[in-house]
Amino acid sequence: MSVPTQTVDKRVERSKAKVLAETYRQLVQSGIAGVSVDEVSRISGISKTTIYRHWPSRSALLIDACSRLGGTPVAPDTGSLRGDARALLSHLAHQLRTANWASVYPSIIDAAERDAELSTMQAALHKTFMAPFEAIIERAKAKGEVPRDHVTNDVVALLVGPFFFRRWFAKEGMDDCFIDAVVEAALR
Amino acid sequence: MSVPTQTVDKRVERSKAKVLAETYRQLVQSGIAGVSVDEVSRISGISKTTIYRHWPSRSALLIDACSRLGGTPVAPDTGSLRGDARALLSHLAHQLRTANWASVYPSIIDAAERDAELSTMQAALHKTFMAPFEAIIERAKAKGEVPRDHVTNDVVALLVGPFFFRRWFAKEGMDDCFIDAVVEAALR
DNA sequence: ACGAAACAGTACGGCACCGTACCGTTCTAT
DNA sequence: ATAGAACGGTACGGTGCCGTACTGTTTCGT
């Protein structure tokens, strides 16, 4: 009665976890280009031989580590679209200020510009990040709160775009006043 | 009657131009991490010795090359704020599709996240890029087309953010319909 | 208890890169 | 014309990195 196709060996899980944790740390600290297998091995205490036993290449390790950036998305339900949007954007603003992935994401975006595998990974990550926004808009459409001829992805861009812009390009803050301005503009 | 503090030697100007051109080419093709002094030397035909005679380090060369990304900004004057915004955004959408800097900019954004010098360079570049948008908004404020209590930078974020979002994050197109949606939302 | 699998340690080979030193040649400014 | 600057070519030292081979040890599953 063995577990079918899963990795069950405790040693494997422990090694993998340690390697991924250290890879993640270097990823956040130095970006994709700053992750080195030698250093991951040195600091995590897992020998390089073992690392290459679990991942075929540095690239595979990076993609594996990046894929774990997305947290479980939460879709609020305050009753009104504006309330939901404000909640989501407030959370997003806080994440952009504090969360680890905020400093890694530009690295991924840059790499996705030239690497096909990372590009598909980024697409999946993006989909995960945007899912809650799509959800509240679709729900509002069903309730008639948003005209059906509004393209969902356009509304998402109107809501999220300004925040990404502020965090990574303009490097300005995002206070409640800004959140309100974005919500009012996008959900006019 | 010598030129005061300028570099006048034709050889110097020629070498510098060749090196910068090749650096720019590699920058566009492979991003910041993909620029190597050895390869710039090999392809441009300018010896490495000469390169290091003009720039103290690879980093200095990169910053010099990146600084030249910004084109001369054009501020349209169609008579109405909406017209100006549509013109600027249409031009921006086209640039994001075709211009060279569109593929380099994520590299700069990523590097600016961790390198102080590149960060100030990016800030200057950003200011240059956003200047036309600020100009048309300030002008509209003066004409009473936009309430004075609207923060200019907020409006810029509402206008430009969605386009950057589409180009680099969502990787979707930006047609005229999208442009109109953004303009109507931001300048409500 | 025992066979098999995972592990650490180490040492490589190969590559790409940065930055410098040296030397002989070419070109510019005056 | 000539001094001096800029240049090309080459070679080198040092570093960091990726991925592999080999050897012995530990640990898991049964």
Side-chain angles (χ1 to χ4, degrees):
Chain A
M1 202 159 69
S2 61
V3 183
T5 320
Q6 206 76 8
T7 305
V8 281
D9 198 319
K10 292 175 186 174
R11 296 171 292 181
V12 174
E13 283 182 13
R14 186 166 156 279
S15 299
K16 277 191 169 185
K18 278 196 174 184
V19 169
L20 280 174
E22 175 56 24
T23 303
Y24 179 83
R25 200 193 61 78
Q26 289 187 23
L27 209 48
V28 169
Q29 188 187 339
S30 318
I32 287 186
V35 175
S36 125
V37 180
D38 281 278
E39 201 172 345
V40 167
S41 165
R42 191 160 50 246
I43 301 185
S44 70
I46 304 298
S47 96
K48 228 167 47 155
T49 318
T50 303
I51 296 180
Y52 278 101
R53 201 175 282 127
H54 293 310
W55 291 273
S57 68
R58 170 182 178 274
S59 189
L61 172 60
L62 281 177
I63 288 179
D64 198 353
C66 287
S67 305
R68 292 156 197 265
L69 282 178
T72 56
V74 282
D77 194 352
T78 64
S80 78
L81 174 57
R82 275 178 165 74
D84 292 345
R86 253 187 288 269
L88 275 181
L89 289 180
S90 178
H91 183 246
L92 175 63
H94 183 256
Q95 289 265 303
L96 286 174
R97 272 192 300 267
T98 65
N100 287 335
W101 63 265
S103 67
V104 193
Y105 210 49
S107 237
I108 298 177
I109 293 295
D110 176 40
E113 200 75 21
R114 288 164 202 92
D115 184 272
E117 256 181 325
L118 273 168
S119 181
T120 64
M121 194 268 296
Q122 186 267 330
L125 221 53
H126 179 79
K127 197 174 176 183
T128 303
F129 286 154
M130 294 305 124
F133 289 95
E134 290 177 18
I136 67 171
I137 294 167
E138 292 292 345
R139 189 200 299 149
K141 270 190 185 174
K143 288 201 292 183
E145 246 178 322
V146 164
R148 291 192 189 282
D149 63 322
H150 280 37
V151 183
T152 300
N153 279 350
D154 287 5
V155 183
V156 172
L158 287 174
L159 283 173
V160 180
F163 283 82
F164 283 11
F165 179 84
R166 286 289 263 259
R167 167 61 178 85
W168 289 304
F169 296 88
K171 301 191 173 171
E172 292 170 310
M174 298 154 285
D175 53 10
D176 287 345
C177 174
F178 181 68
I179 295 180
D180 285 339
V182 172
V183 170
E184 287 309 311
L187 307 181
R188 170 185 40 90
Chain B
M1 205 158 67
S2 63
V3 183
T5 322
Q6 208 74 9
T7 304
V8 282
D9 198 320
K10 291 175 186 174
R11 295 172 293 180
V12 174
E13 283 181 13
R14 187 165 155 280
S15 299
K16 278 190 167 183
K18 278 197 174 182
V19 169
L20 281 175
E22 175 56 24
T23 304
Y24 179 82
R25 199 193 62 77
Q26 289 188 23
L27 208 49
V28 169
Q29 188 187 340
S30 318
I32 287 187
V35 174
S36 123
V37 180
D38 280 276
E39 202 172 345
V40 167
S41 166
R42 190 160 50 246
I43 300 184
S44 70
I46 304 297
S47 97
K48 227 167 46 154
T49 318
T50 302
I51 295 180
Y52 278 101
R53 206 173 277 130
H54 292 310
W55 291 273
S57 68
R58 170 181 178 276
S59 189
L61 172 61
L62 281 176
I63 289 180
D64 198 354
C66 287
S67 305
R68 293 158 197 265
L69 281 179
T72 55
V74 281
D77 194 352
T78 63
S80 78
L81 174 57
R82 276 178 166 73
D84 292 345
R86 254 187 287 269
L88 275 181
L89 290 180
S90 179
H91 182 245
L92 175 64
H94 183 256
Q95 289 265 301
L96 286 174
R97 274 192 298 267
T98 65
N100 287 335
W101 64 264
S103 66
V104 193
Y105 210 49
S107 237
I108 298 178
I109 293 295
D110 176 40
E113 200 75 20
R114 289 163 201 93
D115 183 274
E117 257 182 324
L118 272 168
S119 181
T120 64
M121 195 269 296
Q122 186 267 329
L125 222 53
H126 180 78
K127 198 173 174 183
T128 304
F129 285 154
M130 294 306 125
F133 290 94
E134 291 177 16
I136 67 172
I137 294 166
E138 291 292 346
R139 189 201 298 151
K141 271 190 184 174
K143 288 200 292 184
E145 244 177 323
V146 164
R148 290 192 189 283
D149 64 320
H150 281 36
V151 183
T152 300
N153 279 351
D154 287 6
V155 183
V156 173
L158 286 173
L159 283 173
V160 180
F163 283 82
F164 283 12
F165 179 84
R166 286 290 262 258
R167 167 62 177 83
W168 289 303
F169 296 86
K171 300 189 174 174
E172 293 169 311
M174 299 153 286
D175 54 10
D176 287 344
C177 173
F178 181 67
I179 295 180
D180 285 339
V182 173
V183 170
E184 288 309 312
L187 307 181
R188 174 187 41 89

